[in-house]
């Protein structure tokens, strides 16, 4: 039962994981932080969040249909 | 060279099992995870000799996976992706400068884990759901808005939208109170995230002692019985990302 539950929500779980590692947790800011390949991590975070919303909407539609 | 920091943990009796877990996991994922100790704290990190060339979804997932795996063996402070320092000296300086804050946070979350609870409208017709729950009150239009002129029609439309929004907020507030009734039996550590789309009713995170997991699931089941018209999704357990608000300058 519990396994089924987690399988159904696997996609949401991945989005939750991405949301957490990119926007939560202990944050280091300032001189000692270097950016990854000069990509602004805030930008990366926003991009993932936006794609998360799209996937969430898609997932929502699938739930509606079923 | 950059040191990618994944998590901070407290030294203790589990040191050998944590070390064993990290060594085994390092082989599985082919990333050489290391630990350094500073007083009562340890940092789990890896060393990147070459400049990191890209950051994509797979990197983020791997990063989350590493933190998740370590969290199965001990309480930890998860670091946000992008927590890099350029030398061992910087890492020691980081631990030294923030030692008390780190230790205090670890004590606060010790033996606890995080769960995410999302409540979503299960149908596109949200108005019907709200009306069924709150009672279908026909819109009482004030006399002052009656009329056929363009301005009256405009005001009437505004009034209708406002009324619908008001009822939606009332419904959300009612559901939020029911949710809080259930989880506050278990914990006071509840946070509401800003909802990303109108499909969301609640996007919350809770921090509970590990042994209270079954009670939390029971509470969420109660909520599902109270609001069968919605999708109520729980994910977790997660390392306590949402309850370690430390910003290191």
């Amino acid at each position: 039962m519990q396994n089924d539950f987690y399988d159904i929500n696997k996609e949401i779980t991945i989005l939750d994981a991405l949301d957490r590692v990119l926007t939560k947790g202990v944050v280091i800011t300032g001189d000692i932080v270097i950016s990854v390949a000069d990509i602004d991590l805030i930008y990366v975070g926003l991009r993932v969040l936006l794609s998360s919303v799209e996937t969430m909407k898609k997932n929502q539609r699938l739930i509606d249909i079923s | 060279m950059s040191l990618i920091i994944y998590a901070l943990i407290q030294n203790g009796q589990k040191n050998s099992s944590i070390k064993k877990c990290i060594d085994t996991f390092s082989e599985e994922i082919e990333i050489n995870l290391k630990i350094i100790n500073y007083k009562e704290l340890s940092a789990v990190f890896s060393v990147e000799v070459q400049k990191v060339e890209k950051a994509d979804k797979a990197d983020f997932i791997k990063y989350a996976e590493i933190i998740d795996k370590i969290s199965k063996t001990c309480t930890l402070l998860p670091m946000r992706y992008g927590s890099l320092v350029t030398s061992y000296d910087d890492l020691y300086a980081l631990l030294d400068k923030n030692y008390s804050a780190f230790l205090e946070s670890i004590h606060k979350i010790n033996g606890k884990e995080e769960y995410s609870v999302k409540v979503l409208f299960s149908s596109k017709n949200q108005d019907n759901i709200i009306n069924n729950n709150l009672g279908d009150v026909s819109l009482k239009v004030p006399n002052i808005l009656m009329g056929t002129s363009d301005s009256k029609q405009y005001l009437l439309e505004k009034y209708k939208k406002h009324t619908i929004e008001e009822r939606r907020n009332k419904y959300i507030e009612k559901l939020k109170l029911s949710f809080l009734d259930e989880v506050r039996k278990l914990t006071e550590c509840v946070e509401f995230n800003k909802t990303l789309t109108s499909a969301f009713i609640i996007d919350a995170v809770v921090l509970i002692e590990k042994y209270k997991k079954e009670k939390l699931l029971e509470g969420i089941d109660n909520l599902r019985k109270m609001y069968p018209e919605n999708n109520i999704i729980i994910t977790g357990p997660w390392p306590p990302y949402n309850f370690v608000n430390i910003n290191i300058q």
Side-chain angles (χ1 to χ4, degrees):
Chain A
M1 175 70 181
Q2 198 59 43
N3 286 339
D4 291 346
F5 167 73
Y6 281 112
D7 283 345
I8 289 164
N9 297 309
K10 197 177 170 187
E11 187 67 19
I12 291 173
T13 307
I14 290 170
L15 297 175
D16 257 5
L18 292 177
D19 183 34
R20 280 176 167 79
V21 293
L22 289 169
T23 65
K24 314 286 181 189
V26 179
V27 187
I28 308 175
T29 55
D31 295 341
I32 54 173
V33 182
I34 59 169
S35 64
V36 178
D38 298 326
I39 299 169
D40 186 337
L41 283 171
I42 293 170
Y43 168 72
V44 175
L46 273 176
R47 207 176 48 170
V48 171
L49 271 183
L50 289 174
S51 92
S52 302
V53 173
E54 285 309 308
T55 316
M56 187 68 86
K57 279 182 179 172
K58 194 174 146 195
N59 194 58
Q60 176 70 22
R61 282 197 293 273
L62 287 174
I63 292 169
D64 286 347
I65 291 165
S66 64
Chain B
M1 181 181 80
S2 42
L3 309 184
I4 302 177
I5 314 166
Y6 299 92
L8 302 176
I9 55 184
Q10 188 175 11
N11 297 332
Q13 294 172 342
K14 287 185 179 175
N15 274 11
S16 57
S17 61
I18 293 167
K19 178 84 174 61
K20 196 177 168 189
C21 161
I22 286 172
D23 287 345
T24 313
F25 190 49
S26 286
E27 284 173 23
E28 278 174 29
I29 57 166
E30 296 176 346
I31 290 179
N32 188 13
L33 295 174
K34 295 169 180 282
I35 300 180
I36 62 162
N37 298 322
Y38 179 79
K39 298 181 189 173
E40 283 184 54
L41 281 178
S42 297
V44 183
F45 66 100
S46 64
V47 180
E48 291 290 326
V49 181
Q50 292 180 326
K51 187 179 179 185
V52 183
E53 291 294 340
K54 63 180 176 65
D56 59 24
K57 192 177 165 184
D59 294 322
F60 307 145
I61 290 174
K62 190 168 269 188
Y63 189 86
E65 207 181 326
I66 291 169
I67 294 174
D68 188 58
K69 190 84 175 178
I70 304 164
S71 76
K72 298 283 186 275
T73 57
C74 61
T75 300
L76 58 76
L77 287 184
M79 303 295 288
R80 187 178 299 187
Y81 184 87
S83 300
L84 313 174
V85 290
T86 51
S87 69
Y88 282 88
D89 285 345
D90 278 346
L91 183 49
Y92 278 113
L94 179 80
L95 294 173
D96 180 56
K97 194 176 170 189
N98 302 284
Y99 183 74
S100 307
F102 287 152
L103 216 51
E104 196 180 314
S105 287
I106 288 183
H107 288 157
K108 197 178 90 181
I109 58 171
N110 191 29
K112 296 175 184 172
E113 52 195 13
E114 181 180 306
Y115 288 85
S116 179
V117 180
K118 297 178 199 304
V119 183
L120 297 104
F121 280 108
S122 59
S123 160
K124 283 178 187 167
N125 197 343
Q126 299 178 5
D127 294 341
N128 277 354
I129 289 174
I130 293 168
N131 287 338
N132 286 341
N133 189 279
L134 296 180
D136 190 0
V137 180
S138 301
L139 188 66
K140 288 176 186 166
V141 181
N143 286 338
I144 198 167
L145 296 179
M146 297 293 196
T148 53
S149 67
D150 285 349
S151 59
K152 293 272 187 184
Q153 288 297 311
Y154 172 77
L155 288 172
L156 185 60
E157 279 308 306
K158 283 279 181 194
Y159 178 75
K160 280 180 184 171
K161 277 184 186 167
H162 168 77
T163 309
I164 289 168
E165 189 61 29
E166 203 172 47
R167 283 174 66 76
R168 181 185 159 84
N169 289 340
K170 196 175 168 187
Y171 177 75
I172 290 173
E173 205 50 42
K174 185 182 169 192
L175 204 150
K176 202 181 258 188
L177 286 175
S178 305
F179 167 72
L180 285 173
D181 279 348
E182 291 298 329
V183 296
R184 287 223 167 114
K185 293 171 194 166
L186 308 171
T187 179
E188 285 298 313
C189 296
V190 185
E191 300 277 342
F192 290 96
N193 292 323
K194 194 177 173 187
T195 52
L196 294 172
T197 73
S198 59
F200 276 97
I201 302 171
I202 289 177
D203 185 3
V205 283
V206 297
L207 185 73
I208 56 164
E209 279 87 0
K210 287 178 182 175
Y211 68 88
K212 289 182 179 172
K213 178 184 170 182
E214 292 305 319
K215 291 278 176 199
L216 178 67
L217 292 177
E218 276 173 28
I220 298 303
D221 276 345
N222 291 340
L223 202 63
R224 286 194 180 108
K225 282 171 197 156
M226 279 187 264
Y227 298 89
E229 66 274 25
N230 297 315
N231 289 324
I232 301 178
I233 297 160
I234 179 166
T235 63
W238 299 97
Y241 284 95
N242 283 277
F243 298 91
V244 290
N245 301 318
I246 301 175
N247 195 337
I248 303 157
Q249 295 292 330

